[in-house]
Amino acid sequence: METLSFILFICLFFALVPLLFKTSLSHPLPFSSQSATFHQPQSAKLNSHSIMAHFSNSVKLKYVKLGYQYLVNHITTLILIPLILGIFIELLHLGPDEFHKLWNSLHLHPVQIVCSSFLIIMIFTVYFMSKPRTVFLVDYACFEPPVTCRVPFATFMEHSRLILKNNPKSVEFQMRILERSGLGEETCLPPAIHYIPPKPTMEAARGEAQLVIFSAMESLFRKTGLKPKDIDILIVNCSLFSPTPSLSAMVINKYKLRSNIKSFNLSGMGCSAGLISIDLARDLLQIHLNSNAVVVSTEIITPNYYQGNERAMLLPNCLFRMGGAAILLSNRKSESSRAKYRLVHVVRTHKGSDDKAFRCVFEEEDKEGKVGISLSKDLMAIAGEALKSNITTMGPLVLPASEQLLFLFTLIGRKIFNPRWKPYIPDFKQAFEHFCIHAGGRAVIDELQKNLQLSAEHVEASRMTLHRFGNTSSSSLWYELNYIESKGRMKRGDRVWQIAFGSGFKCNSAVWKCNRSIETPFDGPWSDCIHSYPVHIPEIVKL
């Protein structure tokens, strides 16, 4: 009976805690600098007492929540330790005769002991054989565009006026987008786009691909000491430029890679293709023992600069810029000591079965026959739905038990007691120390910051990457990760959540755990400017 009462008490406690949190969230602290005056009327004094009462309650609820989180997240330890100590104390109280009688009462036969031992060994063998192999991220390198490729706002708008001189409304539209884009003055476009008019030839596109990919590969070889002959798996992803021979073949030819290399070339998969490549590499490393996999993520801008007048197709011109990254993954145990990260989870969500989601990022011809990428007005709503599906799968894998229970009991409360209760948004800050949100645009970062209730520091890497390098498609996540490292914020045991969106429509996530505290790098894309970041990014930059 006592046990039943205890269980009922615990259930009641867990059911009431979400209500307390919801009450505190629905009554935010009405504190402002104006209330801190010396001469206040009576109403102001009462208001200050009300403020202090709210503040006191919020502090109490903070400690209640911390206590609740500690209790639930360590419930197994808190139960098992007293139980083990109790058994150990009871055994100490037994005399030699009583202990001997207890041992004899077990009636253990030698055959039973042998069979039990064999069964235990077999279970452990099956467990360790079926356990996935650990995939390490040894290191990575990001392409740093040359200074000659930089496109300040004034240069971009001057070129737009000359290219679209017959359509001033399109020029004005691009100017408004650029003013609100969150991009800075140092983003880069490939040399072919600097011509007036641009020269998006196949030769120029190959030249950009060679510049970006080979530069990133050379940096990776230099940082890791990797030799081309040591590469067992090669994956290259580039969404819009897919020549023949492929980009992966171009890399093999350049570095004379082995004839038995497993090579893959992914195209048409959008800005989230980088994490798809990581997922593919992980699956291949589960099969091929003692192997190294190199993933190259980039987007070639040269052949995809739109020169028409459709506004939905002009938008990518304002956001996309040069960029690329090369990543070394390995399942070799010898790499565990120097590897930066360990891959924990990859979660992929695809909404392509829905027609609106399928067409929200679409490559097509305009009325004049000019090819461009059309971005739908429903893009943010579709991205939100994809994100919701992705974090629904990700949540149970990474969230502590305290957050899962709060979400569960709030859901039950909405179903049974009051449907008007706001759904409890899990606190992903308890599961991750760092967030790398795809720098697709200011609206994308704003929306995720709001929905996941992240602080300005959590999205700092994404905003600064967008400001310094623009939308570099699938490689943007690696510029963000390098920003965190360059700030000296990555410590051993820290967890990183990479989130990316892509055409189709897809939302993909990867979770990494830091193997060792990472020293501030002296090279890389942020080495010459990290001291000046973070910078203030105004809502509108008047051009």
Side-chain angles (χ1 to χ4, degrees):
M1 195 68 186
E2 291 179 358
T3 305
L4 181 60
S5 300
F6 177 74
I7 293 172
L8 290 173
F9 171 75
I10 292 296
C11 291
L12 182 62
F13 172 76
F14 285 147
L16 288 175
V17 168
L19 297 179
L20 294 173
F21 293 155
K22 292 178 73 61
T23 304
S24 65
L25 290 174
S26 62
H27 296 83
L29 183 65
F31 185 83
S32 67
S33 58
Q34 294 177 351
S35 64
T37 55
F38 292 100
H39 302 286
Q40 297 177 342
Q42 188 66 25
S43 59
K45 291 180 180 179
L46 291 174
N47 189 37
S48 66
H49 288 305
S50 176
I51 290 170
M52 291 306 297
H54 278 294
F55 179 75
S56 178
N57 289 335
S58 66
V59 171
K60 290 177 182 177
L61 286 175
K62 175 185 176 182
Y63 286 109
V64 168
K65 186 172 182 179
L66 288 174
Y68 160 77
Q69 290 170 353
Y70 187 85
L71 173 66
V72 174
N73 294 338
H74 300 86
I75 190 68
T76 305
T77 305
L78 293 173
I79 291 174
L80 286 180
I81 287 179
L83 185 62
I84 293 170
L85 285 175
I87 294 172
F88 182 71
I89 291 170
E90 287 296 323
L91 289 175
L92 288 178
H93 288 163
L94 293 176
D97 294 336
E98 292 176 333
F99 189 81
H100 185 67
K101 288 178 181 179
L102 179 63
W103 177 260
N104 290 334
S105 65
L106 296 176
H107 299 293
L108 294 176
H109 194 274
V111 176
Q112 292 177 330
I113 296 174
V114 172
C115 291
S116 299
S117 302
F118 178 76
L119 180 62
I120 293 171
I121 292 170
M122 186 178 70
I123 291 172
F124 273 97
T125 303
V126 171
Y127 170 75
F128 283 109
M129 289 183 66
S130 60
K131 188 178 179 181
R133 293 185 177 87
T134 304
V135 175
F136 298 103
L137 192 162
V138 180
D139 212 334
Y140 63 96
C142 297
F143 168 70
E144 186 174 3
V147 178
T148 53
C149 292
R150 290 183 180 177
V151 185
F153 291 158
T155 303
F156 183 89
M157 291 312 306
E158 182 64 24
H159 285 203
S160 295
R161 291 187 185 95
L162 294 172
I163 295 168
L164 302 171
K165 58 185 177 181
N166 296 326
N167 197 329
K169 289 186 177 180
S170 294
V171 176
E172 184 181 350
F173 171 75
Q174 283 192 309
M175 184 174 68
R176 290 201 306 270
I177 293 298
L178 202 61
E179 288 176 339
R180 296 164 174 81
S181 64
L183 272 68
E185 296 278 3
E186 297 185 350
T187 61
C188 297
L189 284 171
I193 307 300
H194 288 257
Y195 289 97
I196 302 175
K199 297 182 178 179
T201 63
M202 178 63 75
E203 182 182 2
R206 285 188 184 275
E208 182 192 351
Q210 291 170 358
L211 172 64
V212 174
I213 294 175
F214 295 164
S215 297
M217 290 287 289
E218 293 291 344
S219 297
L220 184 68
F221 291 149
R222 187 170 57 254
K223 292 175 72 173
T224 62
L226 181 72
K227 298 179 181 178
K229 65 178 182 180
D230 295 329
I231 301 175
D232 304 289
I233 300 165
L234 175 66
I235 303 171
V236 179
N237 68 264
C238 179
S239 187
L240 296 172
F241 180 57
S242 183
T244 300
S246 66
L247 296 176
S248 60
M250 183 183 77
V251 175
I252 292 171
N253 176 260
K254 166 68 176 179
Y255 295 105
K256 311 303 177 187
L257 302 184
R258 301 199 318 257
S259 60
N260 63 342
I261 191 170
K262 309 293 186 297
S263 67
F264 301 86
N265 197 95
L266 306 183
S267 63
M269 305 198 80
C271 300
S272 66
L275 296 185
I276 295 174
S277 299
I278 294 294
D279 189 36
L280 176 59
R282 180 191 63 170
D283 291 344
L284 291 168
L285 289 172
Q286 297 302 314
I287 301 170
H288 302 282
L289 301 177
N290 202 35
S291 298
N292 291 321
V294 171
V295 172
V296 179
S297 293
T298 187
E299 190 60 77
I300 304 306
I301 306 296
T302 297
N304 304 300
Y305 189 85
Y306 178 65
Q307 301 181 57
N309 298 310
E310 290 290 333
R311 293 190 176 185
M313 296 182 178
L314 285 169
L315 189 58
N317 287 359
C318 302
L319 299 177
F320 283 88
R321 297 294 186 265
M322 288 180 76
I327 305 100
L328 173 60
L329 304 173
S330 181
N331 58 12
R332 295 181 178 181
K333 292 183 179 179
S334 59
E335 299 287 7
S336 61
S337 58
R338 69 163 182 155
K340 283 187 172 182
Y341 303 94
R342 174 174 61 87
L343 182 59
V344 183
H345 299 293
V346 178
V347 174
R348 294 169 56 183
T349 304
H350 207 303
K351 292 289 184 178
S353 58
D354 180 74
D355 291 340
K356 282 188 177 180
F358 175 71
R359 293 190 63 89
C360 71
V361 180
F362 207 79
E363 185 177 18
E364 58 185 348
E365 295 173 334
D366 64 9
K367 296 176 182 178
E368 298 176 358
K370 296 177 179 179
V371 178
I373 307 298
S374 176
L375 302 182
S376 169
K377 294 179 180 179
D378 301 323
L379 178 59
M380 291 308 302
I382 292 167
E385 288 299 318
L387 175 66
K388 188 187 299 182
S389 300
N390 192 270
I391 64 176
T392 300
T393 306
M394 177 65 75
L397 298 175
V398 298
L399 286 172
S402 58
E403 289 300 302
Q404 296 192 46
L405 278 175
L406 281 176
F407 179 80
L408 174 64
F409 283 118
T410 307
L411 182 64
I412 294 172
R414 292 181 69 204
K415 294 290 184 182
I416 298 175
F417 300 108
N418 189 353
R420 295 182 179 179
W421 283 357
K422 292 182 180 179
Y424 180 75
I425 300 174
D427 185 5
F428 280 93
K429 297 187 290 295
Q430 290 192 40
F432 305 105
E433 285 73 33
H434 307 286
F435 296 80
C436 294
I437 300 168
H438 167 54
R442 179 179 235 155
V444 175
I445 301 171
D446 289 345
E447 195 68 22
L448 263 73
Q449 181 181 5
K450 177 183 174 182
N451 289 337
L452 298 177
Q453 298 180 346
L454 303 178
S455 67
E457 185 175 348
H458 287 125
V459 296
E460 181 183 312
S462 301
R463 293 194 189 280
M464 298 307 110
T465 296
L466 181 65
H467 180 271
R468 172 63 182 84
F469 296 101
N471 181 353
T472 59
S473 190
S474 58
S475 63
S476 67
L477 298 174
W478 303 105
Y479 287 94
E480 295 167 24
L481 189 61
N482 193 259
Y483 178 89
I484 298 170
E485 292 180 5
S486 298
K487 281 292 183 181
R489 298 173 183 171
M490 192 64 69
K491 307 300 180 185
R492 182 179 180 180
D494 284 2
R495 296 154 298 179
V496 186
W497 187 12
Q498 293 181 322
I499 315 169
F501 300 93
S503 58
F505 190 83
K506 300 179 284 292
C507 176
N508 299 324
S509 295
V511 178
W512 304 89
K513 190 168 185 178
C514 186
N515 267 2
R516 55 183 173 83
S517 295
I518 298 174
E519 297 179 359
T520 304
F522 295 102
D523 56 355
W526 294 97
S527 59
D528 62 340
C529 60
I530 192 63
H531 60 279
S532 62
Y533 280 91
V535 297
H536 172 67
I537 304 175
E539 290 294 324
I540 299 177
V541 179
K542 284 296 181 181
L543 301 181

